[in-house]
Amino acid sequence: MAKGEGGEQSSNASLLDKPASADGVTLTGKHEQGSKLSVCNKICYAVGGAPYQITGCALGFFLQIYLLDVAQLDPFYASIILFVGRAWDAVTDPTVGFLVSRSPWTRFGRMLPWIVLSTPLAVVAYFLIWFVPPFEEGKVIWYLFFYCIFQTLQTCFHVPYSALTMFISSDQKERDSATAYRMTVEVLGTVLGTAIQGQIVGMANAPCLPGPSDIVADASNSSLPAGLNVSGPVISLDHTKAAYMIASGVICIIYVLCAVVLFLGVKEKKDSSRPKSEPMGFFQGIKLVMGHGPYAKLVMVFLFTSLGFMLLEGNFALFCSSTLGFRNDFQNILLVIMLSATLAIPFWQWFLTRFGKKTAVYAGSLSVVPFMILVVCMKSNLIVTYIVSFAAGVGVAAAFLLPWSMLPDVVDDFQVQNPNSTGHEALFYSFYVFFTKFASGVSLGISTLSLDFAGYISRGCSQPEEVGITLKVLVSAAPIFLILIGLIILYSYPITEERRQGNRKLLREQRDNEEDSETESAELVHMI
């Protein structure tokens, strides 16, 4: 469409000068009215995004410490579960996207049946992840199986839900408005997931066990070790197991309610507005998206920065409880980080519109670095830790927001350069999710394996010095190094603000030309 664009514009301009028929006006009005979404529709659509964020936060912050201290798995086997589960999750995204794009249209639509049918099985699998089986021999297989099953079923929910945006309305403004509602609910979902899991589990923390060094210190000083969890009523490991199951049960109920609200409040509409390219194979899709230079560079940037932030996310709870000694407060520290990130998102939205997206990535990623350094250098102080966590949450907000704000720019750039290749937007999103989830699996696997090499003691009141050093590296030095690599790659990212605005203008002209052509065809049919 880029070639011969001027000729199309001149012919369409003459068409616009023609008076529209009464029937044409009536049809247009009906079309616009049918594309409008009520506030209730938008809220119901947005609620569907909560389950992914709630379960994601609960698993991201608490699964590692649960496997080590509650299920009492060896760190080596815990690392296998975390890595294989996340790697499997990464593979399922493009696979499910490939299958969804080829699923037939039903009376309920194409996307909603996937969401409804996957929900009951997903909540059962999620609940069983947080259940400690009454046997030791096959415990690793148990957690690995249900973790992978849940990730698969959740992908069957989230991929169709993400694509549902294109089928709730044919009006781009209505889609954008619904997406804004969705992002608000998803941000609140991260806070809700952290709060539910953290506060319920925090009331029944797993009691620590004194190690050899604690016993020696107790015998010599005739006093209780500082790290011992003996204040207040005695809490058994069974109480902690029950707390995790209660938290998972509450999250499962919310998951089902959100799916029901989404199904009842949203009507999927068949998209026939734009012609789509012929379906392509799985590996053809990989070649297509990775062959676009700006997309490949953007994926590399956020692959490294996401890997850094995921190392911080996956190990911060363990760092707070084991290294800083805040066994009874780590869930509140995590909640402070997520609340701070939620409050900071409007600021970063304003910042990227005012100073540009590349500048926002640099500022947001680098803003968290001083606090990563401070949290491992300072002495254990709860008040200072809360302050540092709140400040770090501002940088975490940038890590959440900016990738999703830059991906549409890459898709627009692809459409400008390939005007005859349409309908591939889902490929760009699914492969980006694939790489970030794979990075998450690598970060969790390597970090837990590192703790095994350092000699981590499950439920230990104190840990070997090597464990403390390892956790400091995992929440500070390693994330900073990975973030800096990502920012170096970002320097060569070619889509500037000028190019982005130019792409938007060209795409607007292309859409106007298509709409004018459709109007001309409709008038010819009416005349015949």
Side-chain angles (χ1 to χ4, degrees):
M1 237 184 258
K3 297 180 180 179
E5 196 171 355
E8 291 181 5
Q9 287 178 344
S10 62
S11 63
N12 290 327
S14 62
L15 175 64
L16 292 174
D17 293 332
K18 298 177 182 179
S21 65
D23 293 339
V25 173
T26 304
L27 288 171
T28 303
K30 289 181 179 180
H31 173 73
E32 291 179 353
Q33 186 177 1
S35 299
K36 291 290 183 182
L37 295 174
S38 67
V39 173
C40 181
N41 292 142
K42 294 175 185 177
I43 292 175
C44 290
Y45 167 73
V47 165
Y52 182 79
Q53 299 299 334
I54 293 174
T55 56
C57 269
L59 291 168
F61 280 127
F62 294 94
L63 185 58
Q64 183 191 51
I65 197 170
Y66 167 79
L67 293 175
L68 294 174
D69 287 355
V70 181
Q72 300 183 54
L73 295 180
D74 184 272
F76 173 76
Y77 294 116
S79 68
I80 292 177
I81 293 170
L82 294 171
F83 171 72
V84 173
R86 296 301 289 177
W88 175 259
D89 185 26
V91 171
T92 59
D93 273 284
T95 305
V96 170
F98 183 78
L99 295 175
V100 168
S101 65
R102 283 155 177 73
S103 58
W105 191 270
T106 68
R107 56 177 295 195
F108 301 108
R110 180 189 294 172
M111 308 299 163
L112 287 174
W114 283 82
I115 294 170
V116 172
L117 295 176
S118 65
T119 295
L121 298 175
V123 295
V124 172
Y126 181 80
F127 183 80
L128 292 176
I129 291 174
W130 303 102
F131 173 74
V132 180
F135 49 81
E136 292 293 330
E137 194 67 29
K139 192 181 286 187
V140 175
I141 302 299
W142 172 282
Y143 288 114
L144 183 60
F145 176 77
F146 285 110
Y147 190 33
C148 290
I149 288 294
F150 171 72
Q151 298 289 15
T152 303
L153 293 168
Q154 189 187 49
T155 300
C156 292
F157 181 106
H158 190 65
V159 168
Y161 172 75
S162 299
L164 186 61
T165 311
M166 304 301 295
F167 298 94
I168 57 176
S169 174
S170 58
D171 188 344
Q172 184 62 45
K173 290 183 179 180
E174 291 298 305
R175 292 174 184 171
D176 292 342
S177 177
T179 301
Y181 277 80
R182 169 191 168 184
M183 287 311 206
T184 303
V185 172
E186 287 190 354
V187 169
L188 295 175
T190 62
V191 178
L192 189 61
T194 307
I196 292 173
Q197 189 82 7
Q199 297 306 308
I200 294 177
V201 170
M203 293 186 295
N205 278 330
C208 63
L209 299 177
S213 59
D214 297 318
I215 296 174
V216 171
D218 185 43
S220 60
N221 299 328
S222 299
S223 61
L224 291 172
L228 231 54
N229 184 19
V230 295
S231 60
V234 177
I235 299 173
S236 69
L237 184 60
D238 290 335
H239 290 114
T240 307
K241 294 177 181 177
Y244 272 99
M245 291 181 64
I246 292 171
S248 65
V250 172
I251 290 176
C252 286
I253 292 172
I254 295 174
Y255 195 117
V256 173
L257 290 176
C258 290
V260 171
V261 169
L262 175 65
F263 179 74
L264 296 178
V266 175
K267 184 178 180 182
E268 189 175 345
K269 301 175 182 178
K270 199 166 187 177
D271 182 22
S272 58
S273 59
R274 293 190 67 186
K276 300 294 186 292
S277 300
E278 289 297 320
M280 61 176 58
F282 182 76
F283 293 103
Q284 276 184 296
I286 297 179
K287 184 178 179 181
L288 175 74
V289 298
M290 295 310 297
H292 188 57
Y295 178 78
K297 289 182 180 179
L298 187 68
V299 166
M300 291 300 293
V301 169
F302 288 114
L303 182 65
F304 282 100
T305 56
S306 298
L307 187 56
F309 280 105
M310 287 171 184
L311 276 176
L312 177 65
E313 175 190 6
N315 295 280
F316 196 70
L318 206 57
F319 173 76
C320 290
S321 61
S322 298
T323 304
L324 298 181
F326 303 138
R327 293 185 59 83
N328 298 318
D329 297 286
F330 75 90
Q331 70 277 0
N332 297 324
I333 296 171
L334 297 177
L335 185 58
V336 166
I337 293 176
M338 298 312 299
L339 282 172
S340 172
T342 302
L343 296 174
I345 282 181
F347 164 76
W348 287 116
Q349 186 67 46
W350 168 83
F351 189 95
L352 66 87
T353 55
R354 176 68 176 81
F355 299 101
K357 296 183 179 181
K358 284 183 70 171
T359 304
V361 173
Y362 279 112
S365 300
L366 292 175
S367 66
V368 78
V369 171
F371 304 106
M372 286 182 177
I373 297 173
L374 185 60
V375 77
V376 299
C377 293
M378 68 181 185
K379 292 183 178 180
S380 180
N381 184 297
L382 185 59
I383 301 299
V384 175
T385 302
Y386 275 123
I387 296 173
V388 170
S389 298
F390 184 86
V394 177
V396 171
F400 277 121
L401 174 67
L402 294 174
W404 296 106
S405 69
M406 296 180 74
L407 271 173
D409 301 337
V410 176
V411 176
D412 287 347
D413 189 75
F414 175 83
Q415 290 179 343
V416 167
Q417 296 185 24
N418 303 272
N420 295 321
S421 183
T422 60
H424 303 311
E425 293 85 351
L427 290 174
F428 286 92
Y429 283 86
S430 61
F431 281 109
Y432 169 75
V433 173
F434 165 80
F435 287 114
T436 53
K437 286 185 175 181
F438 190 79
S440 173
V442 171
S443 67
L444 288 172
I446 291 177
S447 60
T448 312
L449 193 60
S450 301
L451 293 174
D452 183 35
F453 292 147
Y456 180 83
I457 303 171
S458 296
R459 296 174 58 201
C461 293
S462 63
Q463 298 290 343
E465 184 180 355
E466 291 81 2
V467 173
I469 295 173
T470 302
L471 284 171
K472 287 181 179 180
V473 171
L474 291 173
V475 301
S476 181
I480 291 172
F481 177 73
L482 291 166
I483 288 171
L484 291 177
I485 292 178
L487 296 181
I488 291 171
I489 299 173
L490 179 64
Y491 183 78
S492 63
Y493 177 67
I495 300 181
T496 60
E497 286 301 303
E498 293 76 13
R499 179 167 169 177
R500 186 172 72 88
Q501 295 295 338
N503 286 342
R504 289 183 62 183
K505 183 179 178 181
L506 289 172
L507 287 174
R508 192 181 301 115
E509 291 174 354
Q510 289 180 10
R511 294 189 182 105
D512 289 344
N513 292 337
E514 289 174 359
E515 291 174 1
D516 292 342
S517 298
E518 291 175 1
T519 304
E520 184 180 11
S521 300
E523 288 183 352
L524 289 174
V525 170
H526 180 72
M527 291 172 62
I528 293 174

